[in-house]
Amino acid sequence: MKRKLFKRTACTAIAAAITAAGTCIAVPAVSAETSADPEIIRYEFEDGFSSDTSEVYTEGWTGNTAEDGSGEEYDLTNASDGGFVFLGQKGTKVSVDVTVEEAGLYEMSICYCQPSDAKKVQYLNINGTNQGEVSFVRNLTFEEAPGGIVLLQEGVNTIELESYWGYTYYDYLTVKPADESISALSPTRQLSNPNASESTKRLYNYLCDVYGNNIISGQQEYCGSHNYNSWNDPDTYIKDNEAEFQYILEKTGEQPAIRGIDFLSYNTTDTSWRDNAPERCIEWVNEYNGIATVSWHWNVPVEEGSTKVAFYVESASDTYTTFSITNALTEGTWENEVLMADIELIAGELTKLKEADVPILWRPLHEAEGAWFWWGAEGPEPCKQLYRLLYDQLTNVYGLDNLIWTWTGYTYPTSSEWYPGDDVVDLMGYDKYNAKDGQPNLSSISSTFYTLVQSTDGEKMVAMTENDTIPSLENLLNDKAKWLYFCPWYMNYLTSEQNNPVDNLVEIYQSEYCITLDELPDLKSYPISSEEPTTEPVTDEPTTAPPTTETSSAEEEIFGDANLSGELEISDAVKIMSHVTDKVKYPLTDAEANLADVYQRGDGISNMDALSVQKKLAQLITELPETYM
């Protein structure tokens, strides 16, 4: 736990309801219908609210996907109750108000028709806050598909679809209570490799203990050491690519616990450049006592016989490869020769880590479902086959027992088809890039988090393996989005205000909830357990010590409870510091101010009151109000 001043913090609240673009068309209040399953409630989109750029229809028709009639027929006549809504150009919105009796996680389904060849993606906003994205694959009539897991408040909630790449017809959505196991966050304690090294097991057990209780800070380094100083300091590898880490230290006074490293320069085609990535892994783990996560932008020849390399396919970049994953999995092809040689080479680099007793979070074939890399360009089956081949080669042939295998997935309806299997995956990752219109997106994207949790029945921990904006502390706690770690991409993905505002960066890094480099334990001696976690069981609340001198009775005051939630939480300290930073923007009612004044009571609200709340939660003091330091 941090024993430091809760320095400058400014919460950016995104709780205000989103307004529809332009003039809203108010149509009759949404009607809820029950289905054969009494727990499922259905809401018709045509009875909801639509922006003036969306289109509401009261009857359907049949059509053809091609203007000249040469395409496939699609049918919009089977909409329930006859009506539906068309979500068109970017910024178009449609929403329904959903009423639930209890706050909690709910499973959502959406009935839609999307006759275009390419999948369409829309933003999902819950009560005015973005909670991720929903994807809609091609279909030719109204069909119901999973929409993910959403966190709803007791009472009325507004669920909104905002067009990112719209052009989809929507009939209705349904909600029902999600299985309780989704919120339990009790991942397996067993690694996929039964012969994992002791250090790897210790690291994995630490991650299990942290999961659901804290978030671990991470940062991707700028790729490559560039060897600027190798001539005068050949034995120090972390020296030339530290701009992001220096920036974080300068702004927050802290360092990230996880370092993202890329084996981009390691392949058998272009051997002209090696950037000491394995050596930086060893130095970061063994000398800095940090955690390393390693991705591999796997460069292959742009074509047969070429010495130029690329990992993008033609549709994604001007510099691209025609390398076929299907051919690469077929013995006797030139692609297969390259593939197996590269695996042998990367195994040699990973062996350096094994010999140095360095476990890593290993993240190969990431973002496959996006289809912009060659390993995902030909669909899920060859990609899964390659992943399992790579797993078998590195684990069973080359004996690498220091890898915690991470799969970077999505929440599309097709995502389950891409998943390699529980037996070869240890962690589930998600790469979040959702800042838009020149503004950061501080959302915790809790719907994405819990949908990923559901995808493995809670067996695998879920991490934000890449991101632009780090979610705000307030959103992470309020939305109960318990990501294992975050890891912004390098350069402007970290340093620009449109991605990561400095105030938000300071707030998260200096909070109790975020684990920084100095707070990591000695991971080489961390206890191994295959049974129960070493921390308190995970609940729906942040990890805090419960108040010992007050009760949650509505008739008694809980000092420090600045948000009047009925219990003491880290969000109370956030609310107090927000008020101290800007009293006009973040006012306190008389009742809130009365409970917030806990340090030298009667002297007004200051940062010392927020610090006292944190000390109480960290069990450094036993009572509030605090009249001493």
Side-chain angles (χ1 to χ4, degrees):
M1 303 293 276
K2 286 182 170 57
R3 291 171 172 79
K4 61 187 83 170
L5 286 177
F6 191 79
K7 299 178 184 176
R8 185 181 179 194
T9 172
C11 276
T12 304
I14 316 180
I18 276 184
T19 57
T23 304
C24 286
I25 300 174
V27 292
V30 64
S31 60
E33 299 183 24
T34 57
S35 68
D37 185 339
E39 289 193 311
I40 298 178
I41 307 177
R42 190 176 76 207
Y43 296 85
E44 297 286 341
F45 279 111
E46 69 269 20
D47 293 337
F49 297 88
S50 303
S51 62
D52 61 351
T53 50
S54 60
E55 303 169 25
V56 180
Y57 296 95
T58 57
E59 60 182 49
W61 64 89
T62 59
N64 193 281
T65 57
E67 291 185 6
D68 62 3
S70 61
E72 293 187 82
E73 298 294 321
Y74 65 89
D75 184 357
L76 297 174
T77 62
N78 68 324
S80 68
D81 291 348
F84 53 93
V85 175
F86 178 70
L87 201 63
Q89 64 189 9
K90 186 174 182 179
T92 304
K93 303 172 184 178
V94 60
S95 66
V96 294
D97 284 345
V98 172
T99 303
V100 296
E101 294 182 358
E102 295 183 4
L105 295 175
Y106 287 79
E107 188 171 345
M108 180 174 67
S109 294
I110 299 175
C111 185
Y112 75 97
C113 176
Q114 194 281 99
S116 302
D117 287 337
K119 67 175 179 285
K120 305 302 183 185
V121 180
Q122 325 298 0
Y123 296 113
L124 174 66
N125 303 321
I126 308 292
N127 297 324
T129 299
N130 173 251
Q131 294 299 352
E133 301 170 351
V134 187
S135 175
F136 300 92
V137 297
R138 186 175 193 262
N139 62 4
L140 298 175
T141 192
F142 282 113
E143 297 175 340
E144 192 172 304
I149 303 296
V150 294
L151 178 67
L152 301 180
Q153 304 167 359
E154 178 184 350
V156 179
N157 298 263
T158 299
I159 299 180
E160 179 181 70
L161 295 176
E162 177 186 355
S163 175
Y164 170 65
W165 191 9
Y167 306 103
T168 306
Y169 300 94
Y170 293 102
D171 185 5
Y172 63 83
L173 67 77
T174 66
V175 294
K176 68 174 182 179
D179 191 284
E180 293 181 359
S181 64
I182 296 175
S183 60
L185 298 185
S186 300
T188 177
R189 288 271 166 165
Q190 301 298 320
L191 284 160
S192 60
N193 180 3
N195 300 315
S197 70
E198 183 176 292
S199 291
T200 306
K201 292 177 181 178
R202 294 187 187 282
L203 170 58
Y204 182 72
N205 272 263
Y206 171 71
L207 299 178
C208 288
D209 287 346
V210 166
Y211 186 51
N213 297 299
N214 297 90
I215 193 167
I216 307 174
S217 58
Q219 178 58 49
Q220 186 76 22
E221 65 173 25
Y222 181 63
C223 186
S225 68
H226 312 291
N227 304 319
Y228 296 147
N229 295 321
S230 292
W231 63 275
N232 65 356
D233 191 7
D235 297 322
T236 301
Y237 299 98
I238 294 179
K239 59 196 173 194
D240 289 325
N241 49 339
E242 294 307 286
E244 290 77 17
F245 295 80
Q246 291 170 357
Y247 177 85
I248 293 171
L249 182 62
E250 174 190 340
K251 299 300 183 184
T252 73
E254 305 292 345
Q255 283 279 268
I258 297 176
R259 186 183 189 95
I261 298 172
D262 197 339
F263 278 21
L264 172 76
S265 69
Y266 291 84
N267 62 84
T268 55
T269 302
D270 180 5
T271 60
S272 62
W273 179 46
R274 295 289 187 261
D275 69 350
N276 300 314
E279 287 75 16
R280 286 198 305 283
C281 287
I282 293 169
E283 194 168 310
W284 182 252
V285 173
N286 285 351
E287 296 186 27
Y288 285 73
N289 193 40
I291 300 169
T293 177
V294 178
S295 57
W296 186 21
H297 281 88
W298 191 343
N299 272 304
V300 292
V302 297
E303 60 185 3
E304 184 177 4
S306 177
T307 58
K308 294 182 179 180
V309 295
F311 44 78
Y312 283 119
V313 296
E314 184 176 6
S315 60
S317 176
D318 292 336
T319 302
Y320 63 89
T321 179
T322 59
F323 191 88
S324 167
I325 180 176
T326 302
N327 290 347
L329 293 166
T330 304
E331 291 186 11
T333 63
W334 71 268
E335 291 101 330
N336 183 257
E337 291 180 8
V338 170
L339 185 85
M340 300 309 294
D342 281 358
I343 292 175
E344 182 179 7
L345 180 142
I346 211 69
E349 300 303 321
L350 294 171
T351 298
K352 295 178 183 178
L353 310 187
K354 173 184 176 179
E355 292 174 347
D357 194 26
V358 170
I360 61 169
L361 311 182
W362 173 234
R363 196 167 71 96
L365 309 189
H366 68 294
E367 299 177 8
E369 196 173 350
W372 41 76
F373 299 133
W374 64 263
W375 52 84
E378 297 174 28
E381 292 308 317
C383 180
K384 287 190 295 186
Q385 187 178 345
L386 175 58
Y387 183 99
R388 296 185 72 89
L389 171 68
L390 186 63
Y391 184 96
D392 179 65
Q393 287 285 305
L394 296 183
T395 303
N396 300 320
V397 176
Y398 294 101
L400 292 164
D401 57 8
N402 57 325
L403 308 180
I404 296 176
W405 288 77
T406 304
W407 173 252
T408 307
Y410 289 89
T411 57
Y412 301 150
T414 53
S415 294
S416 62
E417 300 172 15
W418 290 78
Y419 184 60
D422 286 345
D423 60 325
V424 291
V425 172
D426 298 310
L427 293 179
M428 175 67 78
Y430 181 78
D431 290 356
K432 166 194 173 291
Y433 292 98
N434 63 350
K436 62 175 183 173
D437 302 327
Q439 298 295 320
N441 190 334
L442 298 169
S443 168
S444 69
I445 56 171
S446 65
S447 175
T448 300
F449 173 78
Y450 280 108
T451 301
L452 290 167
V453 171
Q454 183 193 43
S455 71
T456 65
D457 295 325
E459 286 291 298
K460 309 299 178 182
M461 292 179 278
V462 176
M464 194 173 287
T465 43
E466 290 181 25
N467 57 278
D468 47 16
T469 309
I470 301 169
S472 73
L473 176 65
E474 180 180 43
N475 287 334
L476 286 168
L477 297 180
N478 289 345
D479 298 341
K480 301 178 177 61
K482 299 179 179 182
W483 300 93
L484 176 62
Y485 67 84
F486 59 78
C487 192
W489 206 241
Y490 49 73
M491 299 179 74
N492 70 303
Y493 286 103
L494 168 72
T495 58
S496 69
E497 282 284 315
Q498 73 181 41
N499 283 314
N500 278 294
V502 171
D503 285 347
N504 187 62
L505 191 70
V506 172
E507 178 185 61
I508 189 70
Y509 262 89
Q510 294 189 355
S511 70
E512 294 281 348
Y513 191 61
C514 179
I515 294 174
T516 49
L517 181 64
D518 61 306
E519 295 173 317
L520 289 177
D522 180 1
L523 294 172
K524 294 295 178 69
S525 62
Y526 196 80
I528 296 174
S529 169
S530 59
E531 301 174 350
E532 295 300 319
T534 59
T535 59
E536 291 297 315
V538 179
T539 68
D540 281 342
E541 300 303 323
T543 301
T544 57
T548 56
T549 58
E550 297 85 22
T551 73
S552 58
S553 169
E555 299 176 353
E556 295 188 35
E557 296 178 325
I558 301 177
F559 283 108
D561 180 21
N563 60 14
L564 306 183
S565 67
E567 52 189 314
L568 197 65
E569 305 168 303
I570 192 67
S571 55
D572 294 310
V574 171
K575 186 177 183 71
I576 294 169
M577 278 307 303
S578 297
H579 175 73
V580 172
T581 302
D582 190 335
K583 293 180 174 60
V584 174
K585 188 174 181 180
Y586 303 106
L588 296 177
T589 65
D590 289 344
E592 291 170 340
N594 175 56
L595 296 183
D597 185 10
V598 291
Y599 175 74
Q600 296 185 347
R601 190 160 170 78
D603 68 345
I605 308 301
S606 71
N607 65 322
M608 299 307 295
D609 295 296
L611 178 61
S612 292
V613 170
Q614 284 198 298
K615 290 167 65 179
K616 177 66 164 59
L617 293 174
Q619 304 182 63
L620 300 179
I621 59 175
T622 58
E623 295 184 3
L624 289 176
E626 182 184 16
T627 56
Y628 60 91
M629 279 298 291

